[in-house]
Amino acid sequence: MIIVSERLRGKLPENFDWFYMPTSPFLPREVAFHTDLRIFSFNDELICAPSVYEIICRAVDIPVLCGEKEPSGKYPDDVPYNAIAVGRFLICNPETADKTIIRESEKRGLKVIGVRQGYARCSVAGVCGTPGDEAIITSDNGIAKAAKAYG
């Protein structure tokens, strides 16, 4: 199952199992279809905004947790799920990240790499997530500096 924005309906190949997530009524129109603003992934578990919790639970066969905060309005209120887990680390702005993501990361033993960038997920591509061999690509100097400090 691949979750994509409802905006892409009819533009994708028919031979895949797509789930079209509805556009958010709480976010500005220009970003209301961004799935990374409403869903966070650990790969084997998702954490999502309360408004999409029930539909995501029906759409995927992995555990889904309901986050505490509904993304809305403009920055920083639109980024609670915009964080990325890579290997032993969670890269996020701890001030803007949903507390469920922080709590679940700690339960998993992930070290939080705190950055000022609220759009951490948008600013990082995880290249290798194997614990001990993590690698990312970013053009954000603050994220690069913070990640280098953790090796």
Side-chain angles (χ1 to χ4, degrees):
M1 172 69 64
I2 300 171
I3 301 172
V4 295
S5 167
E6 188 173 56
R7 217 173 139 185
L8 297 175
R9 190 179 297 278
K11 297 178 182 175
L12 299 171
E14 302 270 334
N15 56 340
F16 286 98
D17 192 11
W18 304 107
F19 171 76
Y20 295 97
M21 193 163 80
T23 300
S24 172
F26 307 109
L27 290 166
R29 189 176 63 86
E30 59 274 7
V31 296
F33 55 89
H34 285 225
T35 55
D36 60 341
L37 293 181
R38 293 185 286 159
I39 299 176
F40 170 83
S41 173
F42 282 118
N43 290 327
D44 62 346
E45 184 175 54
L46 300 177
I47 299 174
C48 65
S51 65
V52 293
Y53 175 71
E54 288 185 29
I55 60 173
I56 297 300
C57 284
R58 289 191 303 261
V60 299
D61 346 350
I62 61 173
V64 180
L65 297 176
C66 185
E68 295 177 13
K69 190 168 182 203
E70 183 65 47
S72 62
K74 300 216 180 267
Y75 184 83
D77 296 325
D78 61 341
V79 297
Y81 302 93
N82 207 289
I84 183 169
V86 180
R88 300 169 290 151
F89 302 101
L90 171 72
I91 302 172
C92 69
N93 180 331
E95 300 297 317
T96 62
D98 188 90
K99 300 307 174 212
T100 308
I101 295 170
I102 303 292
R103 191 172 47 250
E104 290 300 313
S105 294
E106 289 170 350
K107 282 183 189 176
R108 291 168 177 258
L110 300 184
K111 176 69 179 159
V112 176
I113 298 178
V115 297
R116 290 181 54 207
Q117 175 60 268
Y119 294 102
R121 177 67 188 101
C122 292
S123 303
V124 172
V127 178
C128 181
T130 306
D133 194 30
E134 299 88 356
I136 65 169
I137 297 172
T138 184
S139 62
D140 184 289
N141 290 333
I143 291 175
K145 183 177 178 181
K148 281 180 184 179
Y150 286 91

